[in-house]
Structure formats: C-alpha cells, structure tokens
Amino acid sequence: MDDTELIQAAITEARQNAYAPYSGFRVGAALLCEDGRVFLGANVENAVYGLTMCAERVAVANAVTAGCRSFEALAVVADGPTPCPVCGACRQVLAEFGPETRIIMANIAGEVKKAKLKDLLPTAFTNEQLFNEKR
Ligand SMILES: [Zn+2]
C-alpha cells in the first residue's frame, strides 16, 4: 500500500467514523504495519474532555491488539488549514514502537507533509531509561 492509498484509507475508512460531537474536528488514521496489514483509528471524544482519544493512538491500540508492533507508516488526516500534525502524546506512544516510522500528515484539501517520527520527537522517553535504573 502506497502513501496515497494509506491517506485514502484514513479518510474513507476511519475519519468517517470519528466520534467528535464536541469539537466537530474529525480525524482519521491508517497505520501500515511491517507485515502489510493496515489498522485504522478515528478520534473518540468524551463528555469528560480529557478522556478523548486521538485517532493515531486508537490505530496503535488496534494494531497492538492484533499482534502487530512494527510500524512502517502512519497516515493522519483531518479537515484543517494545514496537514494534520500529530500531537505530542501520540508521538510518544508511536515512539514506543519505533523511531523510524514514517508519519504522513495530510488534510482533506490534499496537502501532505511527511516526516520520520524520530524527527518529530527527537528526545522521546524510551524503555532504555527504565532499564538503566539501579535496583
Ligand atoms: Zn494525538
């Protein structure tokens, strides 16, 4: 699956199911795993705003639940003025599974911006920090 197809999956298969009654800001994500499978995510808002889940993290949870922990690329799409950036929380969650993941940010207007996760979050907290702890 190429980047354009991944963006289309994020729009037509994920974003359309977003639950965003409060912000109206619907986001779709499509996560391409190393084995070729694609997992989708949409943002899921909550009346307790702080419990809202981003589309990207929903896609990661779907992939991990199915046994996939190696990611090639993530496409995220919303109807904003610029390609949809990935928030800091989602960058950290994605970093758990690989700094080389390609991030494809897009908007409905067709603008696209691409980056490696490690360039979006160069000093991610990793499990190397935990394993260095003296006990
Ligand atoms: Zn996020």
Side-chain angles (χ1 to χ4, degrees):
M1 177 173 277
D2 67 22
D3 291 358
T4 301
E5 293 169 325
L6 204 58
I7 290 169
Q8 280 307 308
I11 295 170
T12 62
E13 298 176 45
R15 183 175 177 270
Q16 69 172 4
N17 294 321
Y19 177 71
Y22 307 110
S23 73
F25 190 73
R26 296 182 297 132
V27 183
L31 182 60
L32 175 63
C33 293
E34 206 169 67
D35 64 9
R37 289 184 291 169
V38 174
F39 294 91
L40 304 171
N43 55 330
V44 181
E45 293 185 348
N46 191 277
V48 178
Y49 291 178
L51 297 180
T52 293
M53 287 291 296
C54 297
E56 301 95 308
R57 277 181 284 152
V58 171
V60 169
N62 280 333
V64 171
T65 300
C68 178
R69 297 177 181 170
S70 265
F71 308 148
E72 291 283 334
L74 172 97
V76 58
V77 185
D79 191 11
T82 64
C84 188
V86 177
C87 83
C90 289
R91 292 178 194 199
Q92 178 62 45
V93 168
L94 286 159
E96 180 78 15
F97 301 99
E100 298 295 329
T101 304
R102 292 185 308 107
I103 307 298
I104 305 154
M105 298 160 278
N107 63 9
I108 296 298
E111 296 172 287
V112 178
K113 183 176 182 182
K114 300 179 183 181
K116 286 269 180 96
L117 180 63
K118 66 182 178 185
D119 296 323
L120 295 177
L121 188 63
T123 55
F125 187 91
T126 69
N127 59 18
E128 290 175 21
Q129 304 299 317
L130 301 175
F131 297 153
N132 194 48
E133 179 78 19
K134 304 285 187 281
R135 295 193 176 137

